[in-house]
């Protein structure tokens, strides 16, 4: 868990001011979709997202002083999801998400040589995704499971669009390697 800040600076640079309400309104829908995919139910997702926003609200001035409010807030959300799952002895429910099969197809099918049967590899692919570095996992879930654009993914994570694309390239290469599947030359 992210520690509560011990000291909240009094000065918040004007260029970083954004209201908590505006942030909440902009992020809530995607946060709900992310939490739902991870915890498996809308009710649980509501509780998780509520706790994440409550924690963010209580540290809002501190968040505004971070290099990226979006990245800081995303970390709080993921920590709440992880805590909820851990307390119940559960794993993320991503593989059971309604859009997982479609996401897998979008993620790999256009990039792999003909003849690869995605359905036969879904469990191995989910396992391989779970072994990716954290940022690559985030990008893959946002981009392919939640169907965000590269730009929206970058915005929600507080990173550059080029970083999203780089993470996708690296994730695809890692997944293809782990699953022993040669990548097609297409981009």
């Amino acid at each position: 868990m992210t520690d509560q800040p011990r000291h909240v600076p009094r000065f918040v640079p004007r260029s970083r001011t954004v209201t908590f309400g505006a942030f909440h309104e902009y992020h809530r829908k995607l946060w709900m979709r992310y939490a739902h995919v991870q915890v498996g139910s809308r009710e649980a997702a509501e509780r998780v997202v509520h706790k994440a926003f409550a924690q963010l609200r209580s540290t809002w001035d501190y968040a505004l002083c971070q290099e990226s409010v979006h990245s800081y807030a995303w970390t709080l959300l993921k920590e709440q999801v992880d805590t909820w799952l851990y307390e119940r002895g559960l794993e993320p429910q991503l593989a059971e998400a309604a859009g997982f099969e479609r996401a897998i197809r979008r993620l790999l099918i256009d990039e792999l040589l003909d003849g690869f049967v995605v359905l036969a590899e879904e469990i191995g692919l989910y396992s391989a995704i779970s072994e990716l570095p954290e940022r690559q996992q985030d990008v893959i879930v946002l981009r392919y499971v939640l169907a965000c654009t590269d730009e929206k993914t970058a915005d929600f994570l507080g990173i550059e669009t080029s970083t999203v694309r780089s993470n996708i390239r690296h994730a695809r290469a890692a997944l293809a390697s782990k699953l022993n599947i040669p990548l097609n030359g297409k981009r």
Side-chain angles (χ1 to χ4, degrees):
M1 290 274 259
T2 300
D3 292 332
Q4 295 290 338
R6 294 177 187 189
H7 171 72
V8 177
R10 292 176 192 221
F11 175 72
V12 177
R14 182 179 292 270
S15 63
R16 293 192 190 178
T17 57
V18 62
T19 67
F20 175 80
F23 186 93
H24 181 278
E25 185 176 325
Y26 182 74
H27 288 81
R28 187 176 191 292
K29 185 176 180 180
L30 180 81
W31 280 25
M32 278 296 299
R33 289 174 52 214
Y34 175 80
H36 189 196
V37 164
Q38 297 293 326
V39 301
S41 79
R42 181 167 176 76
E43 296 77 24
E46 285 281 353
R47 288 190 295 275
V48 167
V49 169
H50 177 77
K51 285 185 86 172
F53 274 123
Q55 184 178 8
L56 180 59
R57 184 181 202 73
S58 73
T59 61
W60 187 244
D61 288 339
Y62 177 78
L64 290 173
C65 293
Q66 299 306 299
E67 185 175 329
S68 170
V69 174
H70 299 278
S71 181
Y72 174 78
W74 183 254
T75 299
L76 294 180
L77 172 64
K78 288 177 35 179
E79 287 174 352
Q80 288 298 327
V81 167
D82 290 346
T83 298
W84 189 93
L85 292 168
Y86 177 78
E87 288 172 349
R88 288 152 184 83
L90 300 172
E91 294 293 321
Q93 306 298 303
L94 180 63
E96 296 165 13
F100 187 71
E101 180 182 329
R102 287 188 315 276
I104 298 315
R105 291 179 187 277
R106 285 194 304 267
L107 172 61
L108 290 175
I109 203 70
D110 292 336
E111 297 295 323
L112 301 178
L113 292 174
D114 294 335
F116 174 62
V117 180
V118 174
L119 293 175
E121 298 294 334
E122 280 187 14
I123 299 301
L125 182 58
Y126 176 72
S127 176
I129 289 171
S130 71
E131 294 172 14
L132 290 172
E134 184 176 3
R135 179 63 75 197
Q136 289 178 16
Q137 286 180 40
D138 292 344
V139 167
I140 294 305
V141 170
L142 287 168
R143 242 336 244 114
Y144 295 98
V145 177
L146 301 178
C148 292
T149 64
D150 289 349
E151 293 75 17
K152 280 284 191 190
T153 299
D155 189 37
F156 281 112
L157 295 176
I159 59 178
E160 298 294 323
T161 303
S162 60
T163 304
V164 169
R165 292 180 183 131
S166 175
N167 275 286
I168 290 170
R169 272 193 311 279
H170 290 288
R172 283 181 173 155
L175 293 171
S177 175
K178 287 178 193 246
L179 298 171
N180 199 26
I181 302 165
L183 280 178
N184 197 345
K186 293 193 256 178
R187 284 189 175 236

